[in-house]
Amino acid sequence: CVCRVSGSRAARRLSTMALSDAYRKSSIGEALREALEEMTMTQQISQQLAAKVLPQFDKSLNEVMATSVKNRISFKGKCKQYRNVNNVWTIHLRDVQLRVDEEIVNVDKLYICASEYKEGKKGGK
């Protein structure tokens, strides 16, 4: 799922916060957070530098997802919950079958967070 931010300034900020939260909860986000904690505890980097790394991680990952990810994913599963708040969709699925290109992957739970993207809007990424 490629998530991009659009809409009003407040909606963009909420969307960006939701995406940042999703990115930081990913395995690579957790690994980065743990590495930063360890490096600040051992005084390899300052807390000020560590505080600058996470927002840059969010920005860089959002750019990569928007420009570099080309795979299409289809999925089928049981929808347990969904909601749309300020154009940010959150969807909780169970017993999901994912199809990435020709590969099929079965997962027990899938959480999707996505925001609407409208081409041509000012600040639409």
Side-chain angles (χ1 to χ4, degrees):
C1 171
V2 176
C3 302
R4 297 179 179 144
V5 180
S6 65
S8 70
R9 176 178 279 171
R12 282 196 308 270
R13 192 174 8 193
L14 286 170
S15 296
T16 302
M17 288 170 36
L19 292 173
S20 297
D21 188 47
Y23 294 154
R24 290 183 187 185
K25 287 182 178 178
S26 69
S27 56
I28 192 169
E30 287 289 322
L32 175 61
R33 186 190 53 74
E34 289 173 11
L36 290 171
E37 281 181 15
E38 183 178 323
M39 292 173 81
T40 55
M41 287 175 47
T42 59
Q43 298 181 342
Q44 292 176 304
I45 63 171
S46 67
Q47 288 185 344
Q48 291 83 3
L49 179 58
K52 291 179 182 179
V53 171
L54 287 173
Q56 182 59 49
F57 168 76
D58 299 335
K59 181 180 175 186
S60 297
L61 195 52
N62 195 32
E63 288 174 7
V64 167
M65 294 296 285
T67 60
S68 299
V69 176
K70 304 296 181 204
N71 290 29
R72 289 207 163 260
I73 298 174
S74 61
F75 56 89
K76 183 172 28 172
K78 298 174 188 167
C79 184
K80 293 299 182 181
Q81 181 181 24
Y82 66 94
R83 75 179 128 224
N84 181 352
V85 178
N86 293 324
N87 288 330
V88 177
W89 281 95
T90 55
I91 305 166
H92 298 246
L93 302 168
R94 300 262 184 182
D95 303 322
V96 182
Q97 183 181 69
L98 296 164
R99 182 180 298 269
V100 182
D101 297 325
E102 297 301 316
E103 185 178 349
I104 295 176
V105 178
N106 293 304
V107 294
D108 295 332
K109 298 177 187 176
L110 180 65
Y111 172 78
I112 299 171
C113 176
S115 66
E116 188 176 338
Y117 175 72
K118 292 182 181 173
E119 193 73 42
K121 283 229 172 199
K122 183 179 177 182
K125 283 192 178 181

